[in-house]
Amino acid sequence: KVAEFLKEHKKGVAIAFGIVMLLLIFTSFTSSCSVMIEGLLGSLSATTYPSEPEDMLAVEAEYCRMEKELEDKLSNYAETHPGFDEYRISGEVMGHDPYVLASALSAIYGEYSLDNVNSELYELFDLQYLLEEKSIIETRYRTETRTGYREVTDPETGESSLEEYSYEVEVAYDYKICVVTLISKPLESVIDELLTDEQRQIYEILMKTKGNYPDLFN
């Protein structure tokens, strides 16, 4: 009976078979697209900074402010620390790559803002910049001119009188030296010491893609 039915309704059966095949193809295609889309979204998520741009810019601005404050401290050290005869100041603020900071914070904390990484930012800053301050007191000598009096006798009259004269002496004194040394490390090397293996992988990916924000810190 089935065979007779198929012979009598060849055209209808062919149409029905075609519809079934289209449904199977469409279902397979939809499933493949779904997997593909999930994979693309997962890849995009893994290479993108999870934080809001304004939050990342606020953290970057704070780190720059801290570096500027340190620069000003070195430039005006003599004015803010008076009382020394000599100031020996060495070292400089080398700055940082903002993408290194953003990628590292993203790898460690995921989504972040200035409120929840503020204290960590200072810890990171102290690891990058070490300011050493010390004072040295040296004993030095200077020549001073002093006035003295001596008794002299007039050879003609035999009378005695006091005569003023000048003489030089070497006098010891304390010479105070202020020594300030700024030791700076590249932020990359500081970050490398802090990251775990898993965090380092995330950090390296974000550095390559710049978190999909290539113009954020321009």
Side-chain angles (χ1 to χ4, degrees), residues 149-191:
Y149 295 90
R150 58 192 172 193
E151 185 178 2
V152 294
T153 302
D154 190 324
E156 296 181 358
T157 63
E159 295 181 354
S160 298
S161 62
L162 295 177
E163 178 185 69
E164 183 181 294
Y165 70 98
S166 298
Y167 62 97
E168 295 181 344
V169 295
E170 294 293 311
V171 179
Y173 68 97
D174 290 336
Y175 186 82
K176 297 179 180 179
I177 305 172
C178 180
V179 181
V180 180
T181 305
L182 177 63
I183 301 173
S184 302
K185 294 181 181 179
L187 185 57
E188 293 87 339
S189 65
V190 174
I191 294 301

Side-chain angles (χ1 to χ4, degrees), residues 118-136:
N118 193 42
S119 60
E120 289 80 0
L121 210 61
Y122 278 89
E123 293 175 5
L124 194 60
F125 188 84
D126 290 339
L127 290 174
Q128 184 180 7
Y129 298 107
L130 175 62
L131 189 64
E132 296 181 343
E133 304 165 274
K134 64 179 181 179
S135 60
I136 299 174

Side-chain angles (χ1 to χ4, degrees), residues 33-84:
C33 286
S34 176
V35 172
M36 185 182 300
I37 291 171
E38 287 179 4
L40 288 173
L41 290 176
S43 298
L44 184 63
S45 175
T47 60
T48 302
Y49 290 137
S51 305
E52 295 296 327
E54 54 268 25
D55 289 328
M56 291 188 287
L57 289 172
V59 170
E60 171 62 20
E62 175 63 13
Y63 205 83
C64 289
R65 184 199 65 77
M66 293 158 65
E67 289 182 324
K68 181 64 168 58
E69 185 177 70
L70 181 56
E71 282 184 337
D72 292 342
K73 182 176 182 178
L74 291 176
S75 300
N76 304 301
Y77 203 90
E79 289 78 6
T80 56
H81 297 75
F84 292 90

Side-chain angles (χ1 to χ4, degrees), residues 99-117:
Y99 285 100
V100 170
L101 181 61
S103 298
L105 292 176
S106 298
I108 298 173
Y109 303 106
E111 186 176 355
Y112 67 88
S113 66
L114 185 57
D115 289 337
N116 59 31
V117 298

